[in-house]
């Protein structure tokens, strides 16, 4: 499915918050001043104090996490590449402790509902950063967390400032590349093989950013001769540092293959802790797993019903008694209808205007024509994780492009490409585009950037973000997209089974020790996935934890909330109004948006 820039930023928090250069502390004089909440005497005064604290908290955070700031569209610290060494981890924890003390000085009973949600989001962020640093410690065992390419690509490719200004940030940022990778190698201890191999693949892809095109941009720029000379020195040193790191990763990977490596599974205790911090749904991971298991049975029944309804349209022989066998046969038959491999990216691009027209015609939500969506081939340094994703500008850069990254199939064998295309067949490719683009991730992230609360926009909840995208898939079909064609609904349920299976799969692998063979059986036999898709999902489940549950967790919360409101006032319920009000609160956890909408 996807990883939006917001989601990337959140997943990077544990590493990006590895600290800052001393230079970033120059403007943080007010960071240690406690909010004067007790002296205010009124809720209005406290609200003003909390707003001041929130704004200063964000500024202090960006000083500690300049790369996260860059991804969020805040460009004051673009020239700083943070080096995650021991001293900087100590600075991060000092930041957490200072900000937590300031936060706890507020009387939460005097905050408004909206302010209280911001309070909880800040509190959860601080807890997450501390947990990542001291308990989870992925900075030790996950080498894929170290890759400088993304930040440089963001500066080079996004036209948020004149080219010369951005190139000066590049020159400044290049200075720390050798130290960055040196610190990475010192940090890495007892890594997993899976994350080591991903690190190798993605760092090799860094040369799609550090290339002759960048050199030519600098040479043709308005930088001074001295700046161009400095760029050349630092660029050459960065290239050498990346190559050195790649060689080191190759050696490390070979050693891990020969001698064994740490298990990528994190176990029940860490999984439940991470789930509580990341999902914020109010239920345990085990409870969500049980809910998904029950939902899989329900969806199987719906698919069996549709299969029985249209079986005679595609087969002359009698339908098998085993409903899953019959459904699998029908899905296989329908999956042969798909785009040619060389047309995959172009077909995605062509479907976007059709989705825009449907949403506008049905008045489902207001789309801003001034917020561009650009379909592009996934940059090489981002490949190897997901086949489609959204890279959205942060709330500081609302006018920037949102990129729909689609990985072309030219690197696949004919067999793998055919399997992939059967998975993303005529019907499911449309559902994918709903999810990623219109009115899914792209639309939600545009609205999130317009939220009056910067806290809710910046520190959003992954389950809400993913859940919205999954919710829109069903909502669009309910509103008539696909003309209620049973084939579309059958394929939708197949797609929805992936969301359900994601939760079952992730929990089963990370907590219950599910093997690759068992995982493949779940995905291909119970969720009707193609071999290539299932293999890719297994790989993804070995590289991440909990994130795969966010789709189902958020979807169920949003859909159930909508149905609850409809049941209370069926005659007056306005779907467009619900969508726009729901999205107006940024990317806050669904349980908090519910509070705001019912109060």
């Amino acid at each position: 499915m996807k990883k939006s820039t917001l989601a990337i930023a959140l997943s990077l928090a544990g590493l990006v918050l590895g600290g800052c250069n001393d230079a970033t502390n120059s403007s943080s004089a007010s960071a240690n001043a406690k909010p004067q909440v007790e002296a205010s005497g009124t809720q209005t005064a406290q609200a003003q104090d909390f707003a001041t604290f929130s704004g200063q908290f964000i500024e202090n955070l960006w000083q500690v996490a300049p790369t996260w700031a860059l991804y969020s569209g805040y460009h004051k610290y673009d020239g700083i590449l943070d080096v995650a060494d021991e001293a900087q981890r100590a600075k991060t924890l000092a930041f957490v402790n200072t900000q937590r003390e300031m936060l706890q000085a507020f009387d939460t009973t005097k905050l408004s509902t909206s302010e209280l949600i911001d309070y909880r989001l800040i509190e959860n962020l601080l807890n997450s950063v501390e947990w990542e640093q001291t308990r989870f410690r992925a900075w030790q065992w996950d080498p894929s967390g170290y890759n400088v390419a993304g930040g440089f690509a963001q500066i080079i490719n996004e036209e948020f400032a004149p080219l010369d200004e951005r190139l000066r940030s590049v020159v400044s940022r290049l200075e720390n590349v050798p130290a960055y990778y040196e610190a990475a190698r010192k940090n890495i201890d007892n890594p997993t093989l899976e994350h080591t191999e991903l690190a190798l693949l993605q760092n090799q892809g860094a040369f799609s950013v550090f290339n002759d095109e960048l050199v030519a941009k600098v040479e043709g720029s308005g930088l001074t001769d001295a700046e161009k000379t400095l760029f050349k020195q630092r660029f050459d040193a960065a290239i050498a540092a990346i190559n050195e790191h790649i060689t080191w990763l190759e050696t490390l990977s070979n050693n891990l293959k020969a001698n064994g490596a740490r298990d990528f599974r994190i176990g029940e205790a860490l999984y439940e802790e991470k789930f509580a911090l990341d999902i914020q749904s109010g239920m345990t991971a085990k409870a969500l797993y049980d809910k998904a298991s029950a939902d899989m049975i329900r969806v199987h029944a719906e698919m069996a019903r549709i299969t029985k309804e249209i079986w005679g349209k595609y087969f002359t022989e009698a339908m098998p008694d085993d409903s899953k066998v019959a459904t699998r046969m029908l899905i296989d038959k329908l999956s042969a209808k798909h785009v040619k491999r060389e047309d995959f990216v172009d077909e995605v691009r062509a479907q976007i205007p059709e989705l825009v027209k449907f949403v506008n015609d049905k008045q489902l939500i207001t789309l801003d024509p001034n917020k561009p969506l650009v379909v592009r081939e996934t940059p090489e340094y981002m490949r190897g994780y997901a086949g489609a994703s959204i890279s959205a500008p942060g709330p500081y850069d609302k006018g920037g492009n949102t990129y729909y990254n689609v990985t072309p199939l030219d690197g696949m064998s004919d067999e793998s490409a055919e399997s992939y295309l059967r998975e993303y067949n005529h019907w499911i490719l449309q559902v994918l585009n709903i999810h990623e683009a219109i009115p899914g991730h792209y639309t939600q992230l545009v609205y999130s950037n317009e939220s009056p609360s910067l806290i809710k926009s910046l520190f959003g909840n992954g389950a809400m973000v993913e859940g919205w995208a999954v919710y829109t898939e069903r909502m669009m079909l309910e509103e008539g997209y696909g003309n209620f064609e049973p084939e579309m609904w059958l394929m939708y349920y197949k797609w929805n089974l992936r969301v359900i299976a994601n939760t079952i799969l992730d929990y089963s692998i990370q907590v219950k020790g599910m093997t690759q063979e068992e995982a493949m059986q779940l995905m291909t036999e119970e969720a009707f996935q193609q071999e290539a898709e299932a293999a890719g999902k297994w790989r993804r489940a070995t590289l991440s934890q909990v994130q795969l549950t966010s789709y189902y967790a958020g979807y169920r919360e949003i859909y159930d909330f909508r149905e609850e409101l409809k049941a209370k006032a069926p005659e007056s319920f306005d779907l467009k109004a619900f969508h726009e009000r729901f999205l107006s609160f940024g990317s806050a956890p669904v349980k908090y948006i519910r509070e705001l909408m019912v109060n």
Side-chain angles (χ1 to χ4, degrees), residues 12-30:
L12 286 172
L15 180 61
V16 170
L17 295 181
C20 62
N21 293 335
D22 292 338
T24 65
N25 294 325
S26 60
S27 60
S28 60
S30 61

Side-chain angles (χ1 to χ4, degrees), residues 24 58 92 129-130 142 151 157 195 199-200 213 225 278 294 351 389 392 404 413 426 511 547 551 589:
T24 65
I58 294 169
T92 298
V129 171
E130 181 179 55
D142 179 4
N157 297 331
H195 292 93
L200 179 58
E213 183 180 349
D225 290 343
D278 290 0
Q351 286 185 15
S389 66
Y404 184 0
S413 66
H426 168 74
V511 176
Q547 196 273 335
Y551 304 89

